[in-house]
Amino acid sequence: MSGQQRELDPRGQSDTRLTAGVFDVLKSPGHLLIDGEFVPAASGRVFDVVNPANERVIATVAEADVEDVDRAVKAARRAFDDATWGRMPPAERGRVMWRLADLIEQHAEDFAQLDSLDNGKPVAAARAGDVPIAVGVFRYYAGWATKITGETNTLSWPGDWLAYTRREAVGVVAQIIPWNFPLVSAAWKLAPALATGNTVVLKTAEQTPLSAILLSRLILEAGFPRGVVNILSGFGEKAGAAMAAHAGVDKISFTGSTSVGRTILRAAADNLKKVTLELGGKSPVLVFDDADLDLTIPGVAQAIFSNQGEVCTAGSRLYIHERVFDRVVEGVAEIADKLKLGDGLNEDTQMGPLVSNEQLQRVASYVDVGRKEGAEVVAGGKRVGDIGYFMAPTVFANATSGMRIVREEIFGPVVCAMPFKKEDVDAVISEANDTPYGLAASVWSRDVSMAHKVAHRLRAGSVWINCHTVIDPAQTFGGFKQSGWGRELGEEALRSYTEVKAITAQL
Ligand code: NAI
Ligand code: MG
């Protein structure tokens, strides 16, 4: 990241909005957490962290590579084999996890600011959403630690038998997370893996390593035994690829792009790691003519614009009944025009910058593609300002099903609106399903019966009715089709972090 404005208050140390806890992370050398200790990368290499709101370097962190991954995997293996975590009474395991949740809550403001600085998201949103979700996920799975059960089975062979199953930890789990929800993604990955007794090596995204540095400190403070949780900062092509290829890893869980998901799957083939993938989406939003528009218009705007549209479940294909099409499109465009863009740390900011220049260029190029394909921009359509990676929330009307902007994941604040006729409900369902993705969808209608029937026919892992991207630890989450393998959250996630053992005894 050369050419950054390093000379100007590089770490924002005079920014009076920041907490002492945030300064402490920004000024720290940003070490890796390996085997219960903070260590520099074996190579001594570091990389810069950039604030996407002003393009300044705010911190430098350690750059993990193959050797660090190997050390972390070995530490996790030792911790797994000596079973200090796995054989700890589950109630005690749950207590350590609950303690971590309490510590995150005590540092809520630090976490909200770190994710805002790093990712760009509004601090108010991080405070109201990201931090409580992460805390809730750790508490939810802390409760599960004591509820991992098996079953007893009745055999038909002559004689007396005791046949039962146990759910046991898979072993050493590698986890790779993206940059759109840094703290939340770490919580989603770590909590179910730890509740079930696995040991973990987690790598943060190169764009957003900061909140995991604070999390690493709190993990030690909470009392996790050494080696149980190892946290690395580093690049996907180096540290991430080394994790996916490592023969000492029993399972890999990844969230990110569909193309990297495929790469990970291939790398996992060598030692047949268990694989969980949480990938992209192009989620349809279906608005019927009987929908409560006072609820629906802000709801569908929120579905695409929240978190700058950098959400895997973003409602990016908006199918609207023709009778209400103009009103909904005008309403969403009006909201887009009024959203207050700015530095995420400003309290009144409603939309921050995109995470990186790369992401800004990607999103902006899709907007150009959309124009060339003949879709009409009715809001936004351009970068805002020339410092910071700000993109105006953008609404396309006259989009059609073959366009790239309708087919490909943009991962930014860009929505394509398309009308349908109510008589064509079958047609709109098949259009909604005509995508390689299958992560999420939403249905907006007052007709309860019809809404559920449509929900049953949508090929997606999450379907919301009269809401969108409602996330709760109790409700499972994951993709159909090329949106992924396996599920996170809820009881389902526990299955993917356990192996089932069948024990059969002749009595
Ligand atoms: P990415 O998939 O490259 O990065 C996500 C994570 O994977 C990061 O931690 C990265 O370091 C790691 N990674 C990258 N290459 C790897 C490799 N060869 N082996 C192992 N790990 C690797 O996503 P990127 O490039 O940041 O964004 C590109 C597009 O991906 C976005 O525009 C969006 O469409 C999609 N995306 C989807 C996300 C989701 O939540 N489903 C999250 C982030 C990106
Ligand atoms: Mg990438």
Side-chain angles (χ1 to χ4, degrees), residues 346-368:
N346 293 337
E347 291 295 333
D348 60 349
T349 290
Q350 294 171 310
M351 184 184 279
L354 299 183
V355 72
S356 63
N357 188 39
E358 186 188 0
Q359 196 62 16
L360 174 68
Q361 298 313 326
R362 188 179 289 147
V363 173
S365 78
Y366 269 113
V367 171
D368 289 343

Side-chain angles (χ1 to χ4, degrees), residues 49 62 66 94 133 208 235 282 319 348 377 393 419 425 435 441 448 480 494:
V49 182
V66 179
I133 288 175
T208 55
F235 291 86
K282 191 73 187 178
Y319 297 98
D348 60 349
V377 174
V425 59
T435 164
V448 176
F480 283 27
L494 300 169

Side-chain angles (χ1 to χ4, degrees), residues 19-339:
T19 63
V22 169
F23 283 134
D24 204 46
V25 170
L26 298 183
K27 282 187 285 189
S28 77
H31 285 156
L32 311 170
L33 172 60
I34 299 179
D35 206 14
E37 280 166 24
F38 290 104
V39 294
S43 66
R45 288 174 65 96
V46 294
F47 65 98
D48 289 339
V49 182
V50 173
N51 177 346
N54 57 23
E55 306 185 26
R56 288 192 196 155
V57 175
I58 46 173
T60 46
V61 300
E63 186 193 325
D65 207 331
V66 179
E67 196 178 332
D68 308 287
V69 168
D70 189 53
R71 279 161 64 210
V73 170
K74 286 184 173 136
R77 174 61 58 194
R78 276 194 302 278
F80 185 74
D81 288 345
D82 76 16
T84 44
W85 183 244
R87 274 207 293 270
M88 185 183 279
E92 184 56 30
R93 239 174 24 227
R95 270 175 43 173
V96 175
M97 293 179 62
W98 194 279
R99 223 177 284 142
L100 177 59
D102 286 346
L103 288 168
I104 297 170
E105 201 166 49
Q106 285 161 25
H107 290 267
E109 188 58 24
D110 301 339
F111 278 111
Q113 292 193 1
L114 285 169
D115 271 1
S116 173
L117 266 174
D118 219 357
N119 161 276
K121 67 178 68 198
V123 69
R127 203 182 279 139
D130 300 54
V131 180
I133 288 175
V135 169
V137 167
F138 276 110
R139 292 208 174 119
Y140 174 82
Y141 285 107
W144 268 113
T146 48
K147 297 165 196 72
I148 312 297
T149 58
E151 53 191 25
T152 56
N153 294 307
T154 310
L155 304 193
S156 298
W157 295 106
D160 289 320
W161 302 88
L162 175 60
Y164 62 100
T165 61
R166 277 165 58 82
R167 286 202 165 266
E168 299 182 359
V170 176
V172 173
V173 178
Q175 305 183 316
I176 299 176
I177 59 173
W179 41 259
N180 49 345
F181 293 97
L183 176 65
V184 169
S185 309
W188 284 31
K189 296 286 184 215
L190 291 172
L194 294 170
T196 43
N198 297 277
T199 60
V200 176
V201 178
L202 177 138
K203 188 193 81 64
T204 51
E206 50 270 41
Q207 297 84 350
T208 55
L210 295 180
S211 55
I213 292 173
L214 179 55
L215 185 66
S216 301
R217 295 179 186 170
L218 302 184
I219 281 168
L220 292 190
E221 194 178 333
F224 286 90
R226 61 187 295 166
V228 169
V229 188
N230 303 274
I231 296 189
L232 309 178
S233 42
F235 291 86
E237 295 72 14
K238 293 178 172 181
M243 290 164 75
H246 202 294
V249 170
D250 299 302
K251 172 189 165 75
I252 186 157
S253 175
F254 168 77
T255 301
S257 59
T258 296
S259 65
V260 172
R262 278 193 199 94
T263 306
I264 285 182
L265 192 52
R266 287 190 198 102
D270 276 345
N271 73 332
L272 288 171
K273 290 177 187 67
K274 309 289 183 277
V275 179
T276 306
L277 302 170
E278 202 65 70
L279 308 174
K282 191 73 187 178
S283 299
V285 172
L286 279 59
V287 177
F288 289 87
D289 59 342
D290 62 355
D292 174 351
L293 294 188
D294 293 339
L295 171 86
T296 302
I297 291 170
V300 302
Q302 170 88 2
I304 183 65
F305 297 139
S306 79
N307 212 56
Q308 300 71 243
E310 295 168 327
V311 181
C312 48
T313 54
S316 50
R317 291 186 290 145
L318 183 51
Y319 297 98
I320 309 167
H321 184 271
E322 59 178 6
R323 208 169 62 78
V324 294
F325 183 83
D326 289 344
R327 274 165 71 197
V328 173
V329 170
E330 275 161 30
V332 173
E334 197 182 309
I335 290 172
D337 288 337
K338 283 193 185 145
L339 275 177

